[in-house]
Amino acid sequence: MQTFENIGITGLCEDKSHNPDKQFLLFNMYLQLSHTPPHEWKDYFAESRRLPRAAVWRKVWVEGDCLVVYCQPEELQQEIETLKEDIAFANRQYRQLQQLRELRRQQEQMEQEEASERRIIRQLAEQLRF
């Protein structure tokens, strides 16, 4: 089983962060993740963000190995605190998915071994003369 290391925020990508539309005071703030998240992890993260939990709920998405937060720069620290919860949720859900996959793999392996044993016994039974 491939081990999964929890994903976390490691810093701000200053060079990527920018204001995409000068008419607004909202920036695309890029937060560096510890590593690029798997596809399913991204789905769990999006699920955790689906229902707003604050009066001001900013758009956040995964882009490569970064989270992009569309917010005012002074809001970023509060957004990070909320994102930590969302990331922890995605980490837990993804880890559970991996455990289920490993259990299925083990079950399939046991079934294959049992089927192999049955074939050996069947072949033996066909060769025996009474």
Side-chain angles (χ1 to χ4, degrees):
M1 179 173 142
Q2 186 181 15
T3 58
F4 171 72
E5 292 184 33
N6 282 339
I7 293 173
I9 299 171
T10 61
L12 173 67
C13 296
E14 295 178 39
D15 56 327
K16 290 183 180 180
S17 297
H18 64 282
N19 182 335
D21 187 345
K22 306 301 183 217
Q23 295 178 350
F24 301 103
L25 298 174
L26 297 170
F27 284 62
N28 285 346
M29 304 299 289
Y30 282 73
L31 299 173
Q32 182 68 53
L33 295 174
S34 52
H35 52 278
T36 303
H39 179 73
E40 294 95 340
W41 187 96
K42 293 177 192 178
D43 292 341
Y44 292 130
F45 178 78
E47 180 182 326
S48 72
R49 303 267 321 153
R50 194 177 51 174
L51 297 175
R53 297 186 310 272
V56 177
W57 195 245
R58 298 299 187 191
K59 183 177 178 183
V60 179
W61 64 95
V62 178
E63 194 172 296
D65 62 351
C66 291
L67 284 181
V68 185
V69 184
Y70 187 61
C71 69
Q72 294 180 2
E74 59 271 11
E75 298 172 337
L76 187 58
Q77 185 60 57
Q78 182 57 44
E79 291 297 322
I80 289 171
E81 298 309 315
T82 303
L83 288 170
K84 287 178 185 177
E85 296 172 21
D86 299 328
I87 289 169
F89 173 83
N91 285 336
R92 280 191 309 275
Q93 293 298 106
Y94 186 75
R95 191 170 303 287
Q96 287 177 359
L97 174 65
Q98 277 197 315
Q99 289 170 348
L100 283 174
R101 284 179 174 164
E102 178 61 16
L103 286 173
R104 281 190 202 128
R105 188 194 65 73
Q106 289 174 356
Q107 181 66 31
E108 287 172 1
Q109 184 177 356
M110 285 176 43
E111 289 171 1
Q112 289 174 355
E113 289 171 1
E114 288 174 9
S116 178
E117 289 174 5
R118 292 283 117 213
R119 278 192 302 276
I120 291 169
I121 292 171
R122 188 177 320 112
Q123 288 172 352
L124 175 63
E126 290 171 357
Q127 295 172 2
L128 293 175
R129 302 290 173 240
F130 300 96

